[in-house]
Amino acid sequence: MSETANGSTSAGSAEAERTTSGATIQLEDLTKHYPGNPNPAVDSVSMDIKAGETVIFVGPSGCGKSTTLKMINRLIEPSSGRIRINDEDVTDIDPVKLRRKIGYAIQSSGLFPHMTVAENIALVPKMVGWSKSKVKDRVEEMLDLVGLDPREFHGRYPRALSGGQQQRVGVARALAADPPVLLMDEPFGAVDPITRDHLQDELIRLQHELHKTIVFVTHDFDEAIKLGDRIAVLRERSHIAQFDTPEAILTNPTDDFVSGFVGAGAALKRLNLTRVRDVEMAAFPTVTVDDPLQSIFNKLRSGPHNELLMLDRRNRPYKWLRRGDLMRARGSLARAGQLVHDTVTRDATLHDALEAVLTDSGGRVAVTGRRGEFIGVVDMQTLMNSVHELLEADRLAAIEHQHDLEELRSHQTEAELEGGAGA
Ligand SMILES: Nc1ncnc2c1ncn2[C@@H]1O[C@H](COP(=O)(O)OP(=O)(O)OP(=O)(O)O)[C@@H](O)[C@H]1O
Ligand SMILES: [Mg+2]
């Protein structure tokens, strides 16, 4: 009997230590008047955000995105209105307590310059009273999670990090105490486009695992499409112009303000809505560096492909090999083939994949998993097929919509006729 009791106690407490999923957020008539300005910066915003959802605020500069975001963790006190997190009214609770439940990451990364990377990440876990050893483990775990080697980065100071690395540490710090809610204000605004792309992919991967509720501010609509489950397009004073899924906003913008924000090329932007994980990858022949030359040769000669992919000992894409390369190899593959220099992950968008395929001389790109292991190959044909399917689905949806409208109209006409006959 005592055994069972012990077993269940330890399992129970381990469970209680972690909140892995997000919380609901409700904003109710949230308003902010800054002193000295007769107009409110944010005027009566109401919004329901679901648990585990990523919501993006986009809108012109000065429309109140940051003000609205900072009212959620009360870095800015609302002038009026309510904030509820998981149905609990947090508008009047101690803001310091509130902020422990809410991770916060900003553009400049906001790291404390006089603290090491580890000290920065440990900040909130320490504040909420975690034991020393638990904090230490957590710091390592977080660094690992955001793709920084703990041994290398642990003791560094923020000034010795690149912009992208600082952002990663900023995200690690925001996540350290495992808060159900994460607020991010243009967190990737200050890094170059390629690093930004990687950080976005990273965030998508993290969110796949963690299911936090994320509110994310950006003025980059492509970023919004890529990251958001729903996007709130805001006009001046944070009035909501449209709050919907990226698909709905792209295919059905409510008005000119929203279509202006979506910008030109809505069809191409559809490519940002589909991920590599959602397309069907054709089989592609692979060999490993340890395979004997003869068997590689046989594989190339017998199969339908005139190219294959050589993987390294850790199953990562290493070299593309064509028939001609083997002819010229003369017994050693050391110099044969073309090294793989670009790969995409399954979380990359078709837009990213297209970019990679277009810039690759062979017109294909290898897809890899989290540890760089080979998963498949995407080529122009795969992408064309997917785009055709996307466009066809859009076309069918439009026809269906039209059909519904016509049906509605004919019912109306019938009703009018009946009404007319009766009179
Ligand atoms: N501390 C403050 N005191 C007075 N006015 C402020 C203060 N902070 C912001 N404002 C004003 O409130 C409005 C909204 O600002 P906010 O920073 O929320 O906009 P934003 O949408 O985040 O803009 P951006 O995209 O440029 O970051 C702006 O007109 C701004 O000038
Ligand atoms: Mg702002």
Side-chain angles (χ1 to χ4, degrees):
M1 221 169 86
S2 62
E3 267 177 41
T4 329
N6 283 340
S8 61
T9 312
S10 60
S13 63
E15 190 83 337
E17 276 173 13
R18 277 291 177 84
T19 359
T20 36
S21 58
T24 58
I25 303 174
Q26 284 162 293
L27 310 183
E28 226 176 82
D29 293 325
L30 212 53
T31 297
K32 179 66 188 181
H33 281 277
Y34 284 114
N37 192 334
N39 295 317
V42 171
D43 180 21
S44 193
V45 177
S46 297
M47 188 180 278
D48 277 5
I49 296 172
K50 295 176 212 152
E53 165 173 63
T54 302
V55 164
I56 317 282
F57 291 174
V58 291
S61 181
C63 75
K65 301 179 294 294
S66 297
T67 304
T68 306
L69 193 77
K70 288 185 198 158
M71 284 196 284
I72 299 176
N73 66 1
R74 293 188 33 231
L75 274 174
I76 291 178
E77 286 295 347
S79 308
S80 61
R82 313 302 304 172
I83 307 146
R84 268 178 253 280
I85 294 187
N86 263 351
D87 290 328
E88 185 198 354
D89 192 331
V90 296
T91 327
D92 301 313
I93 71 164
D94 176 7
V96 176
K97 259 192 203 151
L98 174 64
R99 267 168 239 152
R100 287 173 189 169
K101 286 196 273 184
I102 301 183
Y104 183 57
I106 53 175
Q107 177 164 2
S108 53
S109 85
L111 299 176
F112 292 109
H114 57 286
M115 293 182 180
T116 63
V117 163
E119 285 164 349
N120 265 287
I121 298 174
L123 214 59
V124 184
K126 267 191 191 155
M127 238 158 47
V128 296
W130 288 19
S131 73
K132 256 195 179 148
S133 70
K134 196 175 153 196
V135 171
K136 192 167 168 286
D137 290 348
R138 184 67 175 168
V139 168
E140 312 284 286
E141 188 189 345
M142 285 297 102
L143 280 171
D144 209 37
L145 192 72
V146 297
L148 295 173
D149 182 354
R151 281 165 308 176
E152 192 180 340
F153 288 96
H154 188 105
R156 285 220 210 155
Y157 284 90
R159 64 170 180 278
L161 302 176
S162 75
Q165 290 163 345
Q166 287 183 27
Q167 297 288 219
R168 280 166 204 257
V169 177
V171 172
R173 185 177 66 176
L175 287 169
D178 207 15
V181 174
L182 194 57
L183 306 180
M184 308 181 90
D185 196 346
E186 303 199 39
F188 310 144
V191 293
D192 66 272
I194 293 174
T195 308
R196 187 183 314 153
D197 238 33
H198 284 160
L199 291 170
Q200 290 167 346
D201 290 348
E202 206 89 319
L203 184 67
I204 291 167
R205 183 181 60 71
L206 286 178
Q207 180 64 341
H208 258 292
E209 284 175 28
L210 304 178
H211 309 290
K212 304 286 180 190
T213 304
I214 301 179
V215 187
F216 187 110
V217 171
T218 180
H219 51 242
D220 175 356
F221 198 74
D222 290 320
E223 182 166 69
I225 291 174
K226 183 169 172 185
L227 297 179
D229 294 313
R230 286 194 294 165
I231 301 174
V233 184
L234 304 177
R235 353 171 162 261
E236 70 292 349
R237 286 176 226 149
S238 283
H239 287 161
I240 298 173
Q242 188 166 8
F243 183 25
D244 214 329
T245 60
E247 286 87 345
I249 289 177
L250 280 178
T251 48
N252 251 326
T254 39
D255 57 20
D256 289 350
F257 177 82
V258 177
S259 26
F261 231 88
V262 172
L268 275 178
K269 285 185 183 168
R270 290 289 271 117
L271 286 175
N272 281 327
L273 284 173
T274 311
R275 304 204 180 270
V276 171
R277 65 166 75 245
D278 300 323
V279 308
E280 211 155 305
M281 281 178 257
F284 198 88
T286 59
V287 294
T288 74
V289 284
D290 294 324
D291 287 352
L293 192 59
Q294 189 57 46
S295 84
I296 296 177
F297 200 80
N298 292 344
K299 201 161 190 174
L300 253 185
R301 228 181 3 196
S302 61
H305 292 260
N306 65 357
E307 185 177 47
L308 47 74
L309 182 61
M310 178 179 268
L311 307 177
D312 69 10
R313 292 200 174 95
R314 289 163 70 185
N315 209 26
R316 296 173 305 192
Y318 173 52
K319 258 185 199 185
W320 302 101
L321 285 173
R322 299 186 163 215
R323 284 190 188 146
D325 296 330
L326 289 193
M327 304 292 190
R328 287 186 290 272
R330 301 232 179 95
S332 158
L333 284 178
R335 295 222 184 101
Q338 183 200 11
L339 290 177
V340 173
H341 43 73
D342 198 10
T343 57
V344 294
T345 68
R346 277 185 297 185
D347 292 318
T349 62
L350 289 196
H351 185 268
D352 300 330
L354 179 64
E355 187 79 39
V357 166
L358 285 176
T359 49
D360 182 280
S361 60
R364 37 50 186 150
V365 65
V367 181
T368 55
R370 190 168 167 201
R371 312 210 173 281
E373 77 278 12
F374 174 73
I375 290 175
V377 170
V378 165
D379 61 11
M380 207 58 197
Q381 196 58 49
T382 326
L383 290 172
M384 297 260 286
N385 291 345
S386 302
V387 172
H388 285 154
E389 272 167 32
L390 272 178
L391 294 179
E392 183 61 13
D394 281 356
R395 202 178 60 82
L396 288 178
I399 291 174
E400 214 157 279
H401 184 65
Q402 188 62 30
H403 182 79
D404 287 349
L405 282 181
E406 273 161 20
E407 195 151 315
L408 197 70
R409 237 176 265 138
S410 74
H411 281 314
Q412 268 173 348
T413 324
E414 268 170 40
E416 277 163 22
L417 285 177
E418 271 169 32

